[in-house]
Amino acid sequence: MSTPRSARRPLIAGNWKMNLDHVAAIRLVQDLALRLRGFDHKMVDISIHPPFTDLRTVEGIIGADRLPIQLGAQHCSSHEDGAFTGEISLAMLSRLSVASVIVGHSERRQFFSMTDSDVAATARAVLTHDLTPIICVGETGEERESGVTHEVLVRQVTAALGGVDRGVEERIVIAYEPIWAIGTGVAATAEDAQTACQAIRALIASDRGEASERVRVLYGGSAKPENAEELMGMPDVDGLLVGGASLGAESFAAIIAATATCYGQTAGKS
Ligand code: PEP
């Protein structure tokens, strides 16, 4: 019997990328906190992933106001410490109460030459430090046009699982982020997102069996208030990784609210 979807709490993660300095971060988090007042926080996990230079400030606000928001990072080193100029270690992130790290975002793969094996090593390091890796996978527009989306997912998911020991699968999150949808305003259809997220779960199942039912699989790529409910209505879409729309408190809060509404309606569906 498969695990009901309701066993996987939805996660809405906001990736700020290289936007908002620490002053702007204060404004955004305070505005978000106001908009989330009275919201049933047990319904949805929320994480925000500011730039490194904002982490200390945002940690302070979340802690002082006991906000139901987890702090996340956008990247980290797979190394413990040492001569890695410009990198940030997991020990440093842990000291700032960071709970999760985005691993292998397509922009890290594209602009910073992160490989599949770097992604696996980083996911392993994140898990070793008891943080949650949010591992990004997804095809380019060209790969989609050539009909090799599934092959790309097989390669990326298989490689990423190489960094995940048996028995800890439920601590990982996979984000399906088709590159052609990131920052373009053109999201995948809910059906296409479902097909890919289901395929990712099946790939995990083929290696790890029923543990796959406990892995949260997110969709990312131009998610916004207008499409959040439809995307979250899909049985294998357990949350959203949100870029542009996480930079505004109004739009990010609206996505969280849409998720809660939708999940409330669909919880229990398997
Ligand atoms: C992202 O950067 O992970 C992302 C999904 O961006 P956007 O929502 O802006 O497409």
Side-chain angles (χ1 to χ4, degrees), residues 15 17 105 107 177 181-184 220-223 241-245:
N15 174 15
K17 311 194 189 199
H105 189 281
E107 288 151 17
E177 294 218 304
I182 296 179
T184 60
S222 299
L241 181 51
V242 185

Side-chain angles (χ1 to χ4, degrees), residues 8-9 18 26 61 65 69 78 82-83 87 109 130 208 267:
R8 299 190 298 267
R9 195 141 108 150
M18 197 172 71
I26 295 171
I61 306 172
D65 296 342
I69 298 173
S78 60
E87 287 286 84
R109 294 180 190 252
D130 283 332
R208 306 297 172 96

